[in-house]
Amino acid sequence: MNQYDSCWLRYERVPKGRLDSYRRRCLHAYVAEKAPELSAVRDELRRALPELLGRDPHFWQHPPTTTDGFLAIGTPDDMAMIAESVGTDVVDDLADGGYLLRSVTWNGQDCLVVTAPTDRGLVYGTFHLLRLLNTHEPVDDLDVCEEPTYENRLLNQWDTPFHRSVERGYGGESIFDWERLPDLRPRYEDYARLLASIGINGIVFNNVNTTKPERASANAAFDAFEGWQLLESHRLEAFTSLASVFRRYGIRPYLSVNFAAPMLVGDLDTADPLDEDVRAWWRAKADEIYELVPDFGGFLVKADSEGQPGPYDYGRDHVDGANAIARALEPHDGRVWWRAFVYGTHEDRAVQAYDTFQPLDGDFADNVTVQIKNGPIDFQPREPVSTLFGAMPETDLGLELQITQEYTGQGVHATYHLPMWNEIFAFDTHADGPGSPVHSLFRGDGEGIVGVGSVGEDHSWTGTYLAQANLYAFGRVAWDPEMPAETVTEEWVRQTFGTDENVVDTVTRILHDSWEACIDYETGGLGLMHMMHNGEEHLENHFYPSPDEWPGYHGATDEGIGVNRTSTGSGYAGQYRGPVAGRYESVEDCPEELLLFFHHLPWTHELEDGTTVVQRLYDNCFAGVEQARQLRDEWQSLDGEIDERRFRHVAERFDEQVAQAERWRDVLTDYFYEHSGVPDEQGRVGND
Ligand code: GCU
């Protein structure tokens, strides 16, 4: 038995009602031979079917000649039965990763077919079928056709190699033990299974910070960035074993690299991207990698940001930097994911990414993707969407979301990110006129969705069991951003906690209400942000309230609060397309939930319903705590309905979350009172 949790891949005995139909179609199975992915499919069925069906299935070595029904998994080329019962053309038309599930009658028997044009699609199709069985869905009339919306669905693992730590990871130390490679741990395969089951097709194994930045040398959390070493030849050889685990699940391996690698790993005295020796070094390194790992996906680069080296060190720009590395990967079908998370000279950091990257549109090489965080600041509980979305039509773009809860309660709070992501995806950028939602972008070849990962050594993988839902939901929205939130969440709850309707409803409700609660007690709402403590200790950093530390982000003065990002301020609002810019520019039209992100307003400014700004902030802080208490009570109502281990674990974290929410409320409301001098109308603040 695993010493760690199975997350949503726990296979438990199906109840009687469904069992007959499942057994009829699945107790004989044939999985085509050939690719490594198909051996993974077979292994998964061997794990799942005996548990689900209470019987050992018979795996045929050849296409079955049984008079019973059977489950057939393969491409139409693999099996005549598949080609004849489903048709070759319909399968061939599917994108990479797409698949079909069909119930068919073959030789008078009830059978099931999982088919796809690629082996990766067979992996996804198999996991889809197991999800149906695991959640007791009917399969007698199955006709499912799925294709991923985005070509690239990548996980960015911020692990710091050789130190077993994970930057902004709250699930314990890293699961990856680089020192011991090529030795493998069972956990690697289980991680690959979890990722493949939700459609992830690439993983960047190491932190974007690949060296220890000078600026942070006194900060323990930043102490040991040595990811650049992964490009050393002996490390790359060891890496092949890890890559082969993920390959079986259709997941391409990637590495974060240091822009100065030609100096750090090689012995050049420059990393100038226009230097011929530097270019030759990258070419040779790429050749070496692809010789060892033929399906290598490419490099992720954080350059000229937070102490990481970059092209500016040589008077070059981001195009020079990205293209030099991309050229080395190009013959191998590799890609550079180049991050747009940069700082600069602007006092308002929100302005920077657009200012730096938009003018470069059209100049990046075909195999460069510019990877952009969802908002202009940094994964805050709520931000407006980045102005770069839809603003670089000639460039491949990637959307970066944070799965890990850096600013949303870390390994303690239940904060479900799916409602936030859905808000982002639905936002109309007007990039192609009205009706250009964010989800319609990132769909081209070389584009995609990226999630900053959350797993670690903890039994729960993610630090708290409910945070597994964020990882699950990320994979599902990266597959289909228009899937209703309820569908995604209920899928997760049913697989994770069982199909009891009360449990499903309660956990779903808790998750869906959690994000707004966090916004309210951690910010007061109205678009405020970044009032967190920037502590020395990893687990303190961005966890506790400390509004004094970063006045620039919320703009509180004795006169008012908020940051003027209109044309009379930093001008950030003007970076959006016309109608969006107009809406944000105007105090009257700006949506209330972002009002203070765009405007600096007097504390007593009246909102639409007549409430003053400061009163709304008080009210929201108190409401957030009430909501956190409500979430805790709802969880408590599940005592006895969920296994003791997971029930207690989450219950204890809810107790801490409520205490923490109260602390946030008290610190923030005191701070608002201290600056505004306006007491709370309900006598809760400033009336003693
Ligand atoms: C945030 C985060 C850092 C991270 C950075 C990034 O600032 O706190 O830990 O390195 O984002 O995205 O590069």
Side-chain angles (χ1 to χ4, degrees), residues 158 167-168 208-209 302 306 339 341 373 378 406-407 542:
W158 281 1
E167 184 164 352
R168 311 307 180 191
V208 289
N209 294 309
K302 171 173 176 176
E306 299 186 331
R339 295 181 84 230
F341 181 67
K373 288 190 185 188
D378 188 20
E406 174 178 358
Y407 294 98
H542 300 167

Side-chain angles (χ1 to χ4, degrees), residues 14 76 591:
V14 170

